[in-house]
Amino acid sequence: MDTRGDGDTATHQFDATRVQGNEFYELTDVLRNSETTFASVDTLEPDLEDIFLRIIETETEQEQEQEQEQEQEQEQEQEQEQEQEQEQEREQEQEREQEQVHTDG
């Protein structure tokens, strides 16, 4: 609980995250009956906007992960192609060297 005051009034802030359902309404009734004025009440349950934003964020993250995986796969494929090309070039060079040995000998 956080308490601030300016002499005549006091402001109390507290976290009632374990209060649910009817308990919440009972708590607010007790506070009203004690002539407490509410400055604000924040709920922990998401509203439709929060849910929508979570879905969009999740989809965006999944899309980014898929793009990264695709990029990695493409890079691996390119590396494999380069290795195959280099191997083919080495084999061709060896064949040329063998042909030269046969023609020289």
Side-chain angles (χ1 to χ4, degrees):
M1 178 185 287
D2 180 25
T3 305
R4 293 182 294 270
D6 63 2
D8 294 330
T9 61
T11 302
H12 302 280
Q13 179 179 352
F14 62 93
D15 186 2
T17 55
R18 297 192 187 272
V19 177
Q20 297 179 356
N22 289 335
E23 293 173 343
F24 173 76
Y25 297 109
E26 292 171 8
L27 174 63
T28 56
D29 287 343
V30 168
L31 293 172
R32 279 194 191 106
N33 291 335
S34 67
E35 298 181 6
T36 300
T37 304
F38 291 96
S40 68
V41 175
D42 295 325
T43 61
L44 296 177
E45 292 182 15
D47 59 13
L48 288 176
E49 181 182 3
D50 293 333
I51 293 169
F52 175 76
L53 291 174
R54 284 187 201 161
I55 291 171
I56 296 301
E57 288 172 357
T58 301
E59 287 178 355
T60 302
E61 290 172 0
Q62 289 174 346
E63 288 172 356
Q64 289 174 346
E65 288 174 4
Q66 287 175 349
E67 287 176 4
Q68 288 176 347
E69 288 174 4
Q70 288 175 348
E71 288 175 1
Q72 288 175 347
E73 288 175 3
Q74 288 175 348
E75 288 175 2
Q76 289 175 348
E77 288 175 3
Q78 288 176 348
E79 288 175 3
Q80 288 176 349
E81 288 175 2
Q82 288 176 347
E83 289 174 2
Q84 288 175 349
E85 288 175 0
Q86 290 173 351
E87 181 64 27
Q88 287 176 350
E89 288 175 3
R90 282 192 292 267
E91 289 174 359
Q92 289 173 353
E93 181 64 28
Q94 287 176 352
E95 287 175 5
R96 282 193 289 267
E97 288 175 359
Q98 288 177 356
E99 286 177 6
Q100 258 187 342
V101 168
H102 289 309
T103 57
D104 290 344

